[in-house]
Every structure is written in C-alpha cells, then in structure tokens.
Amino acid sequence: MAKYIGKRLIYMVITLALIATFTFFLIKVLPGSPVASADKLSPEQRAVVEARYGLDKPLPVQYFDYMFGLLQGDLGISINQFKGAEVTDVILSRMGPSAQIGFQGMVLGTVLGILLGMIAALRQNTWIDYTSTFVAIVGISIPSFVFASLLQYWFGLKWDLFPVALWKDGFMSSVLPSVALAMFPLATAARFIRTEMIEVLGSDYITLAKAKGASGSEIAFKHAFRNALIPLITVLGPMAVAILTGSLVVEQIFAIPGIGEQFVKSIIVSDFSIIMGTTIFFSVFLIVIILLVDILYGVIDPRIRLSGGKS
Amino acid sequence: MKNSKIFWLLSLVLVLSAFLAACGGGDTDTGTDTTDDAEGTETAGDLDSEQVLNLMETAEIPTMDISLAEDAVAFNIFNNVNEGLFRLDQENIAKPALADGEPEVSEDGLTYTFKLRDSNWSDGTPVTANDFVYSWQRSIDPDTGSPYGAYMMAGSIVNATEIAAGEMEVSELGVTAVDDNTLEVKLERPVPYFMSLMSFPTFYPQNEAFVTEKGDAYASNSENLIFNGPFTLTDWDGTGLTWKMQKNPEYWDAETVKLETINVDVVKEPATAVNLYNSGEKDRAGLSGEFARQYANDENLITDLEPTVFYFKLNQERNGEENALSNVNIRKAIAKGFNKQDLVDVVLANGSLPANYLVPTEFTIDESNADFREVNGDLIEFDAEEAAELFATGLEELGVEEVTLEILGGDTETAKNMDAYLKEQLETNLEGLTINLKAVPFGVRLELDESQDYDIQTAGWGPDYQDPMTFIDLFVTGSAQNKMSYSNPEYDALVESAKGELATDPAARWEAMAQAEKILLEDDAAIAPIYQRGAMALQQPYVNDIIKHTFGGDFSYKWAYISGK
C-alpha cells in the first residue's frame, strides 16, 4: 500500500508539472496581454510594468522562473486584478467558501442520492421507483445555475427562509448554494446505485443468500449495497469536477467570494499569475481526489489490489 | 466487519461536513434591518436616526493606490474617501474643496497658485502642499508605472512628458510647495479645463510619511490607507467582495456629511442584484438588459444619461493593407446605414440616446451655459436611401460588386445583441455588404485594436476631463485611440489650435472643436457614432441626494442621506 501511494505521489508531481507547463504556454499564446488594458501607459512606463512582472524576459526564462518559484511554493503576484497581491493569499482567502459549499453539496448529494437509489431499487417498478427516476433525470438535465436561481428566488426572496445572497450569515449563507450544487451528485448517485443494486439483487449469490435464510435488510445492506458502491466510487472523481465547474456559476449567483468565480475573471483579464495559480490549485485538488478514489476501491472491495502480488 | 468499514467512512464524511459547516461562514453581518415596503416620504432634511446606506458594486477593487488606479470602482471610492483641490458639486461643476477659494492665475494662464484650507488626514495630521507635490511626482515617475499619471499630466504640466519618458528627474515637475499652505503649478500651455482636472483622483494628495512608512504594504488593505475625504474605507482586505465606508470625523466639511456608514458588496450577477434590492437588503441596484425592460415602469426607477458615447471605428488599413473602408463613400454609407432610434428603444432599452455626434449631450457647457451640442447639432443621421446610394457609388469606385467586412465587438450579452442588430441593419440597407461578427473579451479587443487587426470595431469612450477635447483629441493623427489609419491635416490643425493659441479665447476654441467634429463625422465619416449610454437603476425612495457625476468617480455620497425609511 505504502509503495503504491509513493509511486502515485511521484506520478502526481509529474502530472502537475505537465499541467503547469502546458497551461503556461497556452496562456502565452492566447491573445490579450495583462498590460494591454493599460493603454494609457507610455512606452517607458509600460517597460517598467513589464519588467516588474518579468514579462520582458524571453519566454523560456519566464517559464523557468515560474517553475522555480512554484517549487518553492511561490505562485507569484496578481498583475491587474489585485495589483501586487500574492496569488497564494488570493487563493487561500477564497478557498474556504468554495470548499465549504463544494463539500456540503457533494456530501448532501451523494448521501441523499444513495438513499434514493436504494429505495428505488428495493421498490422496483413502483411509484417510488418512478418518482426517484424522475428526480434523477431532472437533476442530471437541469444545470446547477438554474437551480441556484430558483432557490434564490423562492427560498430567499419569496419565503425569506435563507439569505438571498452574500456570504454573511455563516452556515445559513451556505445552505442554498450547497443545495444547488448537490443536485448533480444526487442524481448521479441515485442512478448508479439503483442500476447496480437491481443487477446485484438478481444475481446468483443473492439467491443463495436468500436460500440460506438471510433477512431482507441483511441482503440489501450487506450484499447488494456494498457491491453497488464500487461503480459509484468510480464516478466520484468526475462528480467532484462537475461540482467544481458548477460552483463557478453558483458562486457568482450567490455573490460568494469563492475561487471559481475568480478563475473565470482572471482569464477574461489575462491575469497570468492568477490563472496559473488557480489552475494548479484545481489540478492538485483533482489529482488528490482521484488518488483517494483509488484508495477507496481497495478499502471497499479487497479483490481490487492496489499493487500487484502481495496485499 | 466489512460493513463497519463502510459505515465508518460514511460517518467520517458526515462528521467532517458538520465540522466544516460549523467553522465556515465567517462573520455575521451587522448591517441594518430593512423593511420590505418602506413608504417614500419626500421630507428633505427630516433625517432618520440611522444613516446607513447599503450599496452594490459590480467588481472588486483592483487597487486603492492613487497612482495605480485606473478603473471605475476605485475612482468611485476615491471620490468619496479622498479629496483634491477641487470637487464636482451637485451640478457637476468643479468647486474649490481643499483649495481655499479659486486659485490665482497668472496673466498668460500658465501659473496657478492655490492656497490650501486647513484640513487633516484621518490620522489627524494636516494636509500640506507637499502632499500634492509628492503625489504628483510619484504618479509621473516612470518607475511607478502609473496608468493615469503621464496620461493626465503630459503636455499640460511643465516637464511631465520628459519625466515620464525617463529623461528628467521627477523633482523637475512643474509643481512646488511654496509653503505648507501654498501650492504652485506651472503649465506648459493654458488648460481651459484645469479646474475640473483638479477634481480627478490622479491629482489628489498622498501623505508622503504614511506611504513611505508602509512601503510595499501601502494600499494593500484598508488598514494601510489614509484618507482626507468625507468617508474612510474600512473592512477591506485587499481582495474581498465586501467593504464599508464610515463617516470621517477629520474631514474639513464633516458637518455636511450625513451618512454614518455605507455597506458595499460586490454582486456580479444582475438578477442577484435585483433580488437583493427587492428583499430590502440593498438600497440601489443598477439595471441592465432585460431588467431595464422589466422595470421600465417602476416608480423607483432612476434614469441617468452618461457622457459615454459608442461608435464604430472604421479601420482603413487592416494589417497594413487598405480595405474597402479606405473609400469615404463606403464609410459614409455605413455611418448612415443603420437605425439608431430602434437600437436604443428596442435593443438597449436602458435610457440611451441615438448619437449623431461624438461629443455627448449634457456634458459640457460654454460660458453662456449653452451645451456644446447646440453648436453642431446632429451631424450624421440614419438615412437608408442615401446610405444605399453612397454604398453603390463606393462599390463602383472600388470596382467591386460586393464587400465583406468584420465587426469586432465585446462579448457581453448587450454587446452581442447590439452587434447582431447592426449586422442585420447594414446588410439589409446596403446591398452587396456582408458582415461577419467577432465577439471577444475586452483585453483581446484592445490587442486587436493595437495591431489594427479589424475592419469595424464597436468602441466607446467616457471622458477623462470635462471638456469636448477629451473626445475630439482621440482622432488626431497618431493618437493611441486612432488605430484605424485616419489622418486629416485640417482636423489635426484645428485640434492643435484649440489646444494652443485659442486656449485663452473660449468662444473661438469651441468653434474650432465644433469644426473639427464636423470634419470627422460629415466630411470624412472616420467613425460612425451609434449611441450615448443611459443607465437605469432602482433606488429605494428613502435614499436621497446620491449625486451622479459625468467624469472621474461615478458617485458622490457626501450629500446623501436617509429619510423616511
């Protein structure tokens, strides 16, 4: 296990380096310059500004400077969004709200989705099943920003149950955005669990267990549910990505000082260092999630070996 | 055994989520309670005991360093937390602020001597003439990289151009502190609008001792700022979406200031802004696009005409090669070939006006209080028939039967709708014309403009000072905004004379600028004006006297108050 994780960590570093490199050069070939908006600068002043951010150096030098800084944990300073602010500070100050609504959304969605899927599978072809399928379809097909707008209008403005927007009332402020984000994982989890459980419930060993006199709940939880969890774990990674991309819009709708919304803005105004910083941050997040998912496989199903040979 | 692992995992997840929920969230808003259906009572002077204004901005503050600021959000805050020699009043006229009365001006109009009134920084130290000298020198220093320093000073203040180019020391800038209360400014040429410039944030003072002491931390958050205006900025962490302004007891005219606190939150989504306004949490919400239409008949709707004009830049040489727009008849056809009234009524629907001019209406007045627009009136109006004829002539002169051009525009919803409408209009009215649309973000558009890689560009301009010259000057040969190969010696000469020998003869100067505008639009059709922007907002009826300005910071809250909430 330790060997496996060690190997994976090395891969992670390589992956990150590749992502950083690719993004760096991709940004550089994109049209738009961070100082282009300063069209009022004289050539001399422009040179000073470019020198301040190292934009006057040849591209390979800029690249190695950046990577060297990165190795030391230095993500550079924001060029035009927050003149002179450390990118690390920007990310750290905005990470909290994003992490909170993302995590709450994911947990809420997955837990409810699992319950919904289980009930649907156990009550196959009844109205409960049809209702749960309907909810799943709605959750998959309607984007999170539509839910966000509806929740804001009804639960915030009309019924006054939660804050309309802004990040000021502690946990209460996080409820509506988390619920909006939860819809996608909820629908995904419900669909997976239902399909898998139905399949497992029809398999031979369940028939055997029944013949041996196992109770209904024992069969549902001990056998069917555990086997159904494996494919769900497979989609946890992509689900985290969906939450991440969904949060860009949800953060904007609820005026939450999150990192997703910041990322979009930095691309529009060509703030190199913020684009790089947030990309790297998102990548680390995803890579770690993928690793955790792989480790979870082994925990849930010992048949899946993390490393060849000995377990 | 295996089951327990799963449940252990699930419970861990739940506990973690509860933990995160408990520690997240941050501080609770101590803002005021608001009632949903406050009745507006027009009782000016009858102040509520609680003077709190709740506002929204559409973007974060990129910087609060006076020398580095270049955006609307920062300028708006500066206008309320700091002050210069002059300030725009309720009628948008520059009036003495830190200056103790009008300055003494030498006969040649080149030397201004300002006496300063007694006033303090928010830490209680006095504002001195040296604070102005230091601030201006800091902004013109090329090492500072100030976007507005050289832009506002070069060509006006003695030696500014040379210092910005790194050819002279900053100490040689034409501004000196004669004593603590006397500031002397030397100009290179008479500047008829100099007083209005003095109300622009770039010309505000900066406290040398404070800036030096803070070093790199200066202006990085509200703790590292110092103020001399009606309010102080508080609770701003440098990158956040929220801040406050509190009444500044050290302000020399604190008596006039009635508001105690202004709470500002950044809300980027227009629908959210309207919801916050409707919930009573916010006192004013800007309306755009569909919301402007939806609230068109709301009793709390406010419409402001802004001095910002949008126009087509008609590029005559794309990437160094002449295109169809080098033909004057083609340009005139395009300028006359679209219905502006329908555009503002149906597509924009936000109080904008059709523009048949470059210098906006309700922006500048001459000595007899006449709007500059009264001199020239409408210059280039929509006329489909004439446009079609001009276009046919143009095609004949070029020896072609059809022309394909590209409109380079913004990527906002409004910009896209407008460009789609203009494409449809031009293609319908001008036979043989095909228009391709290209929508890009602002930064990209500036770069394509810089390299002249476009045919037609929808561009806009808001004033930097209160004079028609801020618009007229844009299209002289070689100007940074004239990246479209337009050049007319007659136009250049008129602009030059208005800046030079006519500077002390207001009537002749206005006439010269009017003449130049006529050449630009009627003779040359170098650009095709589209519309003058209007802005709509919902404002709670208990909010009074927020003053909207025509240039510099957008709003003054100095006179605002809450009554009847």
Side-chain angles (χ1 to χ4, degrees), chain B residues 219-275:
Chain B
S220 58
N221 54 39
S222 50
E223 305 299 308
N224 292 307
L225 282 166
I226 191 163
F227 315 95
N228 70 331
F231 300 92
T232 61
L233 180 71
T234 59
D235 299 275
W236 177 61
D237 68 4
T239 59
L241 294 176
T242 176
W243 58 86
K244 287 179 202 285
M245 286 185 245
Q246 307 276 7
K247 182 173 174 171
N248 178 8
E250 292 285 346
Y251 180 52
W252 67 270
D253 194 16
E255 227 172 77
T256 306
V257 182
K258 299 172 194 88
L259 290 175
E260 288 296 332
T261 305
I262 303 171
N263 297 310
V264 187
D265 289 287
V266 176
V267 176
K268 300 181 182 183
E269 188 66 35
T272 306
V274 171
N275 284 342

Side-chain angles (χ1 to χ4, degrees), chain A residues 3-23:
Chain A
K3 194 177 153 199
Y4 170 80
I5 293 176
K7 211 158 99 187
R8 283 294 298 264
L9 283 174
I10 295 170
Y11 287 149
M12 278 166 67
V13 173
I14 297 172
T15 313
L16 263 183
L18 286 175
I19 291 173
T21 307
F22 187 65
T23 316

Side-chain angles (χ1 to χ4, degrees), chain A residues 52 83 94 168 253 261, chain B residues 68 143 239 265 268 272:
Chain A
R52 184 177 303 157
K83 287 180 182 174
R94 301 219 169 198
K168 299 196 163 180
I253 290 177
E261 183 267 320
Chain B
L68 296 183
D143 281 349
T239 59
D265 289 287
K268 300 181 182 183
T272 306

Side-chain angles (χ1 to χ4, degrees), chain B residues 371-393:
Chain B
D371 192 308
F372 181 79
R373 281 270 46 88
E374 286 173 27
V375 188
N376 263 359
D378 282 336
L379 289 177
I380 192 150
E381 292 176 83
F382 168 57
D383 185 335
E385 232 168 83
E386 201 192 334
E389 283 168 25
L390 285 163
F391 197 70
T393 315

